[in-house]
Amino acid sequence: MARIVVKIFGPKYFGLNQYDVITLVLDIRDGVSVGDVIDELEKRYPGLRRRLLRGEEIIPMHDIWVNGRSITFLQGLKTPLREGDVVQIIPPFGG
């Protein structure tokens, strides 16, 4: 088992009943990908997946980072995770 951290920024935007950043520590098995983590989060927060993804693509202006890098520049939802990784789910920012 490995332990990762997941942070959901702007949870209210994603339809979650919370304003502050949600921080979760998850125990994962070897070979887990970002997509697997999104599936797990969907079980905890129904509707999160459809507010973040269209099929297997991130909705434009949204992003998912692993250790400070967008998964767009890694392996997308297939990006593998390992001990100590930090996954950040980020809504669009406005000003």
Side-chain angles (χ1 to χ4, degrees):
M1 282 293 215
R3 186 165 278 184
I4 64 166
V5 174
V6 177
K7 294 184 177 199
I8 304 172
F9 292 88
K12 196 71 171 176
Y13 174 85
F14 291 113
L16 308 179
N17 195 21
Q18 189 170 330
Y19 287 99
D20 297 328
V21 175
I22 294 174
T23 302
L24 304 165
V25 177
L26 301 178
D27 290 319
I28 61 168
R29 66 189 186 290
D30 291 336
V32 166
S33 68
V34 170
D36 296 326
V37 169
I38 297 300
D39 291 343
E40 178 60 33
L41 292 174
E42 177 65 21
K43 292 175 190 173
R44 295 176 187 224
Y45 305 109
L48 176 64
R49 190 179 213 306
R50 70 178 159 75
R51 288 185 169 97
L52 181 62
L53 304 173
R54 291 288 179 260
E56 296 299 309
E57 300 292 322
I58 299 171
I59 295 173
M61 305 294 292
H62 298 68
D63 213 345
I64 301 171
W65 293 356
V66 174
N67 301 328
R69 293 187 63 205
S70 173
I71 65 169
T72 301
F73 302 106
L74 299 171
Q75 296 174 40
L77 293 176
K78 294 180 181 176
T79 302
L81 299 171
R82 56 186 177 203
E83 177 74 36
D85 283 348
V86 177
V87 176
Q88 297 171 300
I89 298 173
I90 303 168
F93 289 101

